[in-house]
DNA sequence: CTTTGGATCGTCT
DNA sequence: GACGATCCAAAGG
């Protein structure tokens, strides 16, 4: 993974990251879905309105990991692009698990055991105990183990599976510090990746800046997959 | 199968 | 004070 490659426009870099490996300690996943965010030129980018404490990493050198926290409970991971001083990034949206599947599953299901029944709060859905549910209900494992295809098939899921939190914001993905690394094992990106608009955006969602590996079962939101052209 | 609503809190207005 | 680059389960067809 030459750093110079990552210094380019996120729209150019993003599809090139398909089929690269993301490594976190013993856990390895192959990148199968990405989105580009073009900083100051992109209304949907966290950096559109300039530098803040939260998005500072996006303004740093390329090849670093930008991690943000959202929806009060989820983390998402990006590869920083463009030269230092210019904000831009590629959001990693899905991985195909390669190794360390047990650790990924454990990380993804730990909240079932960890979730203590909240005192007064009631909840209709989710894993918190609803009123009247016995305590042992939340201390047991989920009814079924998560299928492999759901371990890292989403931007927040992959962070949970690999244990990526805001503590890892800013680490260099090319040197492997803190156990996080981007690796090229020789598998080329798809010649003809799937392309669509980005997911979950209020602004600029129609721009075709989402790419995935065609046919991969780990890609999120399969229904949104529409390959342009022929 | 699709749709809907709740969870939950850091960040910026 | 409002709102997410989301996920999950329950409800509805």
């Amino acid at each position: 993974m030459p750093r110079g490659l990552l210094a380019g426009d996120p729209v150019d870099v993003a599809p090139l990251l398909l089929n690269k490996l993301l490594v976190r300690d013993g856990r390895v996943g192959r990148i199968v879905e990405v989105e580009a965010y073009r900083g100051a030129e992109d209304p949907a980018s966290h950096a559109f309105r300039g530098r803040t404490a939260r998005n500072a990493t996006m303004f740093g050198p390329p090849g670093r990991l930008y991690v943000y926290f959202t929806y009060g409970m989820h983390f998402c991971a990006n590869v920083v692009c463009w030269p230092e001083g210019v904000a831009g990034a590629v959001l990693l949206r899905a991985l195909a698990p390669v190794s360390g599947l047990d650790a990924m599953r454990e990380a993804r299901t730990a909240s079932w055991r960890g979730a203590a029944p909240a005192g007064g709060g009631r909840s209709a859905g989710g894993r918190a105990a609803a009123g009247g549910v016995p305590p042992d209900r939340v201390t047991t494992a989920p009814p079924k183990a998560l299928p492999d295809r759901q371990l890292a098939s989403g931007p927040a899921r992959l962070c949970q599976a690999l244990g990526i939190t805001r503590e890892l914001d800013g680490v260099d993905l090319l040197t492997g510090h803190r156990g996080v690394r981007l690796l090229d094992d020789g598998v080329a990106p798809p010649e003809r990746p799937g392309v669509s608009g980005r997911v979950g955006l209020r602004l600029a969602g129609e721009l075709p800046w989402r790419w995935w590996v065609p046919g991969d079962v780990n890609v999120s939101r399969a229904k949104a997959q529409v390959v342009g052209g022929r």
Side-chain angles (χ1 to χ4, degrees):
Chain A
M1 281 306 305
R3 194 179 304 274
L5 185 80
L6 302 175
D9 187 328
V11 167
D12 298 324
V13 174
L16 297 178
L17 290 180
L18 292 175
N19 282 335
K20 298 292 180 284
L21 297 176
L22 183 63
V23 182
R24 161 64 163 163
D25 297 329
R27 290 165 271 184
V28 182
R30 193 175 299 282
I31 298 167
V32 296
E33 182 186 352
V34 294
E35 283 177 358
Y37 287 85
R38 302 184 77 223
E41 305 175 24
D42 181 359
S45 172
H46 291 163
F48 184 61
R49 312 227 171 236
R51 178 177 185 141
T52 67
R54 177 207 204 188
N55 65 24
T57 296
M58 282 183 102
F59 290 80
R64 307 250 261 236
L65 182 70
Y66 166 52
V67 183
Y68 68 87
F69 179 72
T70 190
Y71 289 105
M73 63 187 85
H74 294 304
F75 296 95
C76 295
N78 301 251
V79 178
V80 172
C81 299
W82 267 335
E84 180 161 11
V86 185
V90 174
L91 172 70
L92 304 180
R93 285 198 57 91
L95 305 177
V98 171
S99 64
L101 296 248
D102 290 344
M104 292 186 194
R105 207 179 320 274
E106 165 65 24
R108 288 273 288 126
T109 57
S111 52
W112 274 94
R113 285 184 301 286
R122 67 167 70 198
S123 59
R127 56 189 66 111
V133 175
D136 63 333
R137 173 67 176 75
V138 296
T139 58
T140 42
K144 286 181 173 181
L146 268 179
D148 292 354
R149 65 167 59 187
Q150 285 180 32
L151 288 178
S153 59
R157 287 173 174 180
L158 77 85
C159 283
Q160 197 176 11
L162 296 201
I164 295 173
T165 70
R166 186 111 240 254
E167 293 186 4
L168 294 177
D169 178 62
V171 301
D172 191 336
L173 288 169
L174 303 188
T175 59
H177 289 159
R178 302 279 270 133
V180 198
R181 186 158 208 172
L182 198 54
L183 281 184
D184 184 350
D185 68 343
V187 179
E191 285 189 23
R192 191 82 185 162
V195 185
S196 80
R198 294 175 292 180
V199 174
L201 299 186
R202 198 174 48 161
L203 276 44
E206 69 285 352
L207 295 169
W209 291 347
R210 170 176 176 249
W211 296 267
W212 66 89
V213 175
D216 192 286
V217 297
N218 300 278
V219 173
S220 70
R221 284 178 172 73
K223 191 193 165 194
Q225 298 179 12
V226 180
V227 182
R230 196 267 328 147

